[in-house]
């Protein structure tokens, strides 16, 4: 069954030194852009999480999503991803239930482990235990969302008589888990409603569902295309957009290099010059017709339901909106009226 395909953007609320501006202006403008995106046909607004970043990368996604909920009425909204092991599961279950109530049942959480030891150190947590913390967190949160009174004693969390109120009227909130390692995809298949991540891991997700005795056709796949843009003139767009996406690429590469001694580096996102970045193929800028063709092929390969792009840090809002509106006018209509939500 072909799923209804929708599109949205990730907003990280970063304020890079090169384009720095007052924080209140940046937040107000970004919320204006999110509200505008709803009016032109986008279906999702997603907020990621990192801590201690020099450019203010969003550290508080749930609080920010409450502001998004207040400014919108139809957008699905959620974390992408929240760093689950950094939260206490009871508090997370409470906060997300309230978010779902505020938003009228539009919250959809995507969770991940995180890969920066620095963030765990800053919160006084052991980076090496994050996998075990995540598994226990998921067991507790799922039970709380279901309205159960939870007694749990694990290696990382102990809760007694825990129960959340108010509950979301929907009960469980849609839950997606990100990741790329074999163990991460096992966790997705066991605990999550769907996979959030990269296109190339769709097949592994399907295999992990089969290993769990689940029908891969019931899976859900959300793909992050953070370095994907539609433009009528890709070469011109590369000249304009390259510096902003180059900043993003280099910042992720620097973070991954922090812990390369434990295998966290990524040669694709290694820091590089602007000209090297433009030639690297990391930033994909395609015409609307090519984008439609790409998404149709992805629909054929996997239970693909949502594609998430990015508002790049530093890019003036009016310039971002021009590219987003082209996507809304030329790509989204090709997928309206087909498939269904399941």
């Amino acid at each position: 069954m072909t799923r209804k395909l929708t599109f949205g953007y990730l907003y990280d609320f970063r304020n890079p030194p090169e384009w720095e501006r007052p924080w209140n202006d940046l937040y107000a403008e970004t919320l204006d852009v999110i509200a505008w995106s709803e009016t032109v046909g986008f279906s999702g607004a997603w907020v990621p999480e990192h801590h201690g970043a020099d450019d203010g990368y969003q550290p508080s996604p749930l609080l920010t999503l409450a502001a998004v909920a207040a400014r919108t009425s139809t957008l699905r909204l959620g974390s992408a991803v929240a760093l689950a092991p950094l939260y206490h599961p009871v508090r997370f279950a409470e906060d997300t239930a309230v978010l779902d109530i505020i938003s009228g049942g539009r919250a959809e959480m995507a969770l991940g482990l995180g890969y920066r030891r620095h963030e765990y150190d800053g919160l006084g947590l052991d980076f090496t235990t994050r996998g075990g913390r995540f598994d226990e967190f998921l067991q507790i949160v799922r039970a709380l969302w279901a309205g159960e009174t939870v007694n749990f004693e694990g290696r990382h969390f102990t809760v007694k008589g825990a129960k959340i109120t108010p509950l979301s009227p929907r009960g469980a909130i849609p839950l997606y888990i990100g990741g790329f390692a074999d163990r991460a995809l096992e966790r997705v298949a066991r605990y999550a409603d769907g996979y959030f991540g990269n296109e190339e891991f769709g097949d592994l997700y399907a295999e992990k569902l089969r290993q769990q005795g689940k029908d891969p056709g019931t899976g859900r796949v959300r793909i992050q295309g953070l370095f994907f843009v539609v433009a009528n003139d890709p070469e011109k767009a590369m000249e304009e957009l390259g510096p902003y996406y180059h900043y993003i690429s280099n910042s992720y590469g620097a973070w991954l290099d922090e812990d390369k001694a434990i295998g966290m580096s990524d040669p694709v996102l290694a820091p590089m010059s602007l000209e090297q970045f433009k030639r690297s193929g990391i930033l994909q800028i395609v015409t609307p017709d090519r984008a439609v063709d790409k998404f149709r092929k992805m629909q054929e390969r996997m239970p693909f339901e949502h594609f998430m792009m990015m508002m790049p840090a530093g890019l003036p809002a009016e310039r971002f909106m021009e590219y987003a509106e082209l996507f809304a006018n030329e790509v989204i209509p090709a997928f309206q009226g087909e498939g269904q939500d399941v």
Side-chain angles (χ1 to χ4, degrees):
M1 179 185 299
T2 300
R3 297 186 185 278
K4 180 179 179 180
L5 180 59
T6 59
F7 302 90
Y9 283 97
L10 178 140
Y11 304 89
D12 60 22
F13 290 81
R14 288 204 247 186
N15 199 2
E18 186 173 350
W19 304 290
E20 189 171 6
R21 47 195 302 213
W23 280 106
N24 57 325
D25 291 348
L26 173 67
Y27 270 59
E29 182 180 79
T30 305
L31 290 170
D32 285 345
V33 169
I34 294 171
W36 167 85
S37 76
E38 180 177 72
T39 69
V40 296
F42 289 98
S43 300
W46 315 104
V47 180
E49 176 179 359
H50 277 295
H51 297 270
D54 292 339
D55 60 9
Y57 194 116
Q58 181 56 242
S60 186
L62 300 184
L63 184 60
T64 304
L65 288 165
V68 173
R71 293 289 306 276
T72 59
S73 58
T74 63
L75 283 178
R76 289 178 290 168
L77 48 95
S79 54
V81 296
L83 305 181
L86 301 184
Y87 292 81
H88 190 282
V90 178
R91 191 58 185 267
F92 181 86
E94 291 174 330
D95 287 349
T96 51
V98 170
L99 175 63
D100 204 41
I101 293 169
I102 291 172
S103 66
R106 293 183 284 132
E108 301 184 357
M109 297 292 110
L111 307 177
L113 275 177
Y115 55 85
R116 300 183 70 202
R117 185 187 296 271
H118 169 78
E119 295 176 313
Y120 281 79
D121 290 346
L123 289 168
L125 297 173
D126 184 352
F127 179 77
T128 64
T129 67
R130 67 196 193 285
R133 287 180 64 86
F134 198 1
D135 288 337
E136 292 185 11
F137 169 98
L138 289 166
Q139 293 175 59
I140 297 168
V141 168
R142 279 295 202 188
L144 291 169
W145 278 347
E148 298 176 17
T149 298
V150 178
N151 293 288
F152 183 94
E153 186 170 350
R155 180 179 176 188
H156 308 286
F157 297 106
T158 298
V159 298
K160 298 179 181 180
K163 185 178 178 67
I164 66 169
T165 182
L167 284 168
S168 164
R170 295 191 295 167
I173 295 167
L175 177 65
Y176 295 76
I177 296 177
F180 314 112
D182 189 81
R183 179 70 183 88
L185 272 294
E186 289 179 4
R187 184 177 290 113
V188 179
R190 178 176 295 114
Y191 295 112
D193 298 306
Y195 171 65
F196 168 75
N198 291 3
E199 179 182 354
E200 61 266 31
F201 293 95
D203 292 339
L204 181 57
Y205 169 52
E207 177 57 31
K208 294 302 181 183
L209 285 172
R210 280 190 285 268
Q211 291 176 9
Q212 292 287 327
K214 300 177 181 179
D215 178 3
T218 65
R220 295 174 176 268
V221 175
R222 294 187 172 179
I223 299 299
Q224 57 179 356
L226 304 187
F227 292 90
F228 186 87
V229 178
V230 163
N232 285 323
D233 186 340
E235 291 185 5
K236 180 180 178 181
M238 179 64 78
E239 292 306 308
E240 177 178 23
L241 300 176
Y244 304 100
Y245 284 97
H246 172 243
Y247 171 84
I248 294 165
S249 179
N250 273 9
S251 67
Y252 282 133
W255 288 349
L256 286 162
D257 274 352
E258 290 174 349
D259 294 312
K260 61 185 176 183
I262 57 171
M264 297 304 294
S265 62
D266 183 342
V268 175
L269 291 180
M272 64 188 74
S273 71
L274 175 58
E275 291 308 312
Q276 288 173 322
F277 174 75
K278 290 177 181 178
R279 297 192 300 267
S280 69
I282 293 172
L283 177 56
Q284 301 177 55
I285 306 179
V286 304
T287 60
D289 287 346
R290 287 190 60 192
V292 170
D293 182 61
K294 170 186 174 68
F295 297 138
R296 292 213 185 281
K297 289 177 179 176
M298 291 169 68
Q299 284 181 306
E300 293 170 0
R301 289 188 50 239
M302 65 185 81
F304 175 40
E305 64 177 19
H306 189 78
F307 190 76
M308 181 187 309
M309 297 166 286
M310 168 188 282
M311 180 180 180
L315 180 66
E318 63 273 14
R319 300 303 304 138
F320 166 75
M321 293 164 72
E322 183 173 320
Y323 286 99
E325 190 162 19
L326 176 66
F327 191 104
N329 291 339
E330 301 294 333
V331 178
I332 292 178
F335 299 94
Q336 289 178 334
E338 66 174 43
Q340 58 180 313
D341 292 310
V342 291

